[in-house]
Amino acid sequence: PRSPSPQRPAGAPCRASMQGTAFIPSFLVIWSSAAFILSYVIAVLSGHVDPLVPYISDTGTNPPESGVFGFMISIAAFLGAVTMYAKYKILEKQNELSHFMSPLSNVASLIIGLTGCIGMGIVATFQELAVPIVHDIGALVTFVFGVLYIVFQSALSYKSAPVWNSLNRCHVRMAIASVSFVALVPMIICAVLVSMTKLIWNPDEKDYAIHLTSAICEWIVAFGFICFFLTYIKDFQEVTLTVSTEIHDDFR
């Protein structure tokens, strides 16, 4: 006989209508994708970068694409922080009902994710050729802490399964996190090995192959983040987040 499926504890949130708060990760995915693609298209049409896999930051170095890149990436960083905090609150509530993890794990994951968002804000504010050291530090923080966040969240997904997550969703998240982690290593190593910083490359130039490898890996990691947040939509469909306002007696 088949064993009964695990049941969610009493008081577990029910599916609401885009349903619940699914608009939060949905908006993040759409906005971030548009930021990368729009900056790339403008930069290529303006002749500022090579069409064949430039660094993401290269597509936001010169005007007019630099304004678009800075504006849209700054908002993407904010949306990422909002999504991560909302996910933190969801896990906190789920853990109160079924106790599948240490609360410190949830807090650590949030801190790691928010650190990545701060790095993303630095990338948007300090452009690649204007303040290269600050920009590179921001990019490193974004990618390293971003990958750590999705790896951490993948592990927490397995802990919450099968009550709060299906195993298939857990496998998808871990696959995305694994590919992003594998791409992160050559991305960083090759970026360090490149001996020059330029926007237009000739295939015959020294370090071109290393540059191309690093850039390809960078795009893989970036869209790995987007695909990972796409898997959040199902989680957010089943919850409703509310804001509570209280007026203290001292201010009446």
Side-chain angles (χ1 to χ4, degrees):
R2 295 178 58 185
S3 58
S5 301
Q7 298 296 316
R8 296 189 178 184
C14 299
R15 181 174 300 179
S17 79
M18 191 165 202
Q19 292 176 319
T21 52
F23 69 91
I24 298 176
S26 299
F27 190 32
L28 170 62
V29 168
I30 294 170
W31 185 272
S32 300
S33 301
F36 294 143
I37 295 171
L38 188 58
S39 297
Y40 169 81
V41 170
I42 296 174
V44 170
L45 293 179
S46 300
H48 295 155
V49 298
D50 288 320
L52 182 61
V53 200
Y55 280 124
I56 295 174
S57 296
D58 289 353
T59 66
T61 298
N62 294 317
E65 63 267 18
S66 58
V68 174
F69 181 86
F71 172 71
M72 296 192 73
I73 294 299
S74 295
I75 294 180
F78 172 74
L79 292 173
V82 170
T83 302
M84 291 172 182
Y85 180 72
K87 179 63 174 176
Y88 162 80
K89 296 300 291 183
I90 292 171
L91 286 174
E92 182 182 56
K93 185 63 177 178
Q94 290 173 344
N95 196 48
E96 288 177 4
L97 297 170
S98 54
H99 309 289
F100 57 85
M101 67 174 179
S102 166
L104 291 178
S105 300
N106 197 22
V107 174
S109 178
L110 176 64
I111 293 173
I112 291 170
L114 293 181
T115 303
C117 291
I118 292 172
M120 196 172 179
I122 293 173
V123 168
T125 305
F126 300 94
Q127 293 171 355
E128 183 180 23
L129 298 183
V131 196
I133 294 178
V134 178
H135 178 91
D136 290 345
I137 291 173
L140 185 64
V141 169
T142 299
F143 285 107
V144 171
F145 281 84
V147 169
L148 288 176
Y149 174 79
I150 64 175
V151 169
F152 215 127
Q153 282 293 321
S154 297
L156 293 181
S157 294
Y158 276 107
K159 282 184 168 291
S160 68
V163 177
W164 302 107
N165 276 295
S166 68
L167 284 177
N168 286 337
R169 200 184 314 167
C170 295
H171 296 335
V172 169
R173 286 176 180 169
M174 186 56 75
I176 294 170
S178 300
V179 170
S180 299
F181 181 81
V182 170
L184 177 69
V185 177
M187 183 198 86
I188 296 174
I189 293 175
C190 291
V192 172
L193 293 176
V194 173
S195 59
M196 64 186 83
T197 301
K198 56 187 301 186
L199 302 181
I200 303 293
W201 285 80
N202 186 310
D204 297 326
E205 286 182 308
K206 174 188 175 183
D207 295 343
Y208 175 76
I210 300 175
H211 156 77
L212 186 62
T213 300
S214 180
I216 290 173
C217 290
E218 184 184 58
W219 282 94
I220 291 173
V221 176
F223 276 92
F225 294 155
I226 290 174
C227 291
F228 190 87
F229 286 117
L230 193 62
T231 70
Y232 273 9
I233 292 177
K234 182 69 175 178
D235 296 342
F236 280 60
Q237 283 179 340
E238 299 180 341
V239 301
T240 300
L241 298 176
T242 60
V243 177
S244 176
T245 303
E246 297 180 3
I247 300 177
H248 299 287
D249 292 337
D250 295 344
F251 292 93
R252 288 183 178 178

